[in-house]
Structure formats: C-alpha cells, structure tokens
Amino acid sequence: MKFTDSPVIELPVRTAVLSLQQDNGSLHVGTSVWPCSLVLVKFAERWAPPSRDAQNPYANLLDFHGKRAVELGAGCGAAGMGLYLLGLTDIVLTDIPAVMPALKHNLKRNKPVLGKTVKHAIVHWNKAADQAKSLSPPYDVVVATDVVYIEETVGPLVSTMEALVKETEDLTYRQKIWQSVKCREPKPLAPT
C-alpha cells in the first residue's frame, strides 16, 4: 500500500524535519505514510499558537503545551511525532503488532529531532477496556488520522477513545453525537 513511491517522506515541522521511512512493499496500510497525517500536522503547525498569547480561531484547540496525548493507529508515526514537536508534553503512539517494526524504526530514526524516545504500545481496539489501564489514562488529546477502512471498526475505535480521554463536558456532547451516528441506518447509494 502506498500513496507515493518514495521510501522516505520528509516532514518539516517548524525548525525541525522528521524523516519517515515507509515500506512500499508491505500489505499493511500502517507501514505507509498517508497524506491525512501530514495534513493534520501542517494544519496544526499553521494554527497552533507558538506562544500562549497567540490569537487565532484554533488557539485553544491546538494549544498542546502541558497536554498528554495518545495516537491510535499511529502507523509510521508522522502525526504523533509532528504534534509532539508542536508542544505536546507527552505522547504514546499505538498500533497493532504487525506495524510496530515500522513505527519503532521511525521513532529511533527521529530520536535526535524529537530529543527523547517517544513511547509506543500495542493496542487492539477490540480490547480497549483491558488495555487502557496499561496506557496510564486519562489523556487530554486522542489522535487518529485515516484509521478507519472497515465500518465494523468504528465502534471499537470510539470505545477505545472513550476509555483513554479525560472526561469533560465535551465528552458528553461527543457521546450524544456518537449515539446519533450509531442509530442511523445507512442509506443505499443511488445507481448512477
């Protein structure tokens, strides 16, 4: 699986450059760097406040200073490492066992840029309740970019997010949205 033939993707983030190696020959989608993770980092870089007094429409949402995050389905680690460089205090990058070699390789490759070893862990969304405690929740931010390819994984993904995020007034609102999404019947596509 791939979106580019290049085996290495460079991702500039402020004054740093992440170097992400992908495995173009792999059948696992998580061993490729997908555009969504790059776009998220560049959007956050554009709008994340470089200081606490910066004013923009996304300042509160993207102020990562002092916040902990977990990334679900990190793949090659582009989004998590990029957001860490934008101010996250702590992040744990997670994925399934088959993707871990690629993730670990990129974490090691970028350790000089990151300034530390970023934590990583194996997480299966269908075992969220059991695994959440080992990840030391709650987290301020849960990151997931381009992770749903099969409709049946949406429920376990949302359950995993709920097990990891801090409870806030917004969580109740998100739960209501999720309940309304779960209750809707899919509409068949009209023939073209």
Side-chain angles (χ1 to χ4, degrees):
M1 304 297 289
K2 63 182 176 179
F3 86 93
T4 178
D5 288 327
S6 176
V8 177
I9 307 293
E10 290 193 347
L11 175 60
V13 182
R14 295 210 172 123
T15 60
V17 177
L18 292 170
S19 176
L20 303 154
Q21 189 166 359
Q22 61 180 355
D23 182 356
N24 289 329
S26 174
L27 296 177
H28 296 288
V29 294
T31 60
S32 295
V33 177
W34 292 97
C36 189
S37 61
L38 305 176
V39 170
L40 175 65
V41 172
K42 296 312 284 183
F43 177 86
E45 178 184 36
R46 164 68 175 88
W47 291 103
S51 64
R52 292 189 182 270
D53 59 349
Q55 294 298 314
N56 68 61
Y58 306 106
N60 289 335
L61 179 66
L62 296 174
D63 183 2
F64 297 130
H65 295 91
K67 293 185 179 169
R68 297 177 65 229
V70 60
E71 183 177 10
L72 302 175
C76 292
M81 287 189 278
L83 296 176
Y84 175 77
L85 290 174
L86 292 173
L88 285 170
T89 302
D90 187 30
I91 188 163
V92 179
L93 306 183
T94 71
D95 216 310
I96 59 174
V99 178
M100 274 296 140
L103 178 58
K104 288 179 181 179
H105 175 79
N106 280 318
L107 289 172
K108 183 176 180 182
R109 180 183 184 102
N110 288 285
K111 184 177 177 181
V113 174
L114 298 168
K116 75 172 208 169
T117 301
V118 172
K119 293 179 255 180
H120 60 279
I122 293 171
V123 170
H124 297 275
W125 300 343
N126 59 347
K127 300 176 183 174
D130 299 334
Q131 294 177 342
K133 291 178 186 166
S134 69
L135 294 174
S136 302
Y139 290 92
D140 302 294
V141 178
V142 178
V143 179
T145 60
D146 211 0
V147 295
V148 175
Y149 301 94
I150 302 167
E151 186 176 348
E152 289 77 22
T153 62
V154 173
L157 172 62
V158 172
S159 295
T160 303
M161 291 176 162
E162 289 174 345
L164 295 170
V165 73
K166 283 185 177 177
E167 289 197 36
T168 65
E169 290 176 18
D170 291 340
L171 182 59
T172 303
Y173 178 71
R174 288 191 300 265
Q175 288 171 333
K176 287 178 184 176
I177 291 174
W178 170 239
Q179 288 300 320
S180 70
V181 169
K182 281 196 326 190
C183 294
R184 291 185 188 164
E185 290 293 321
K187 294 180 182 178
L189 295 175
T192 55

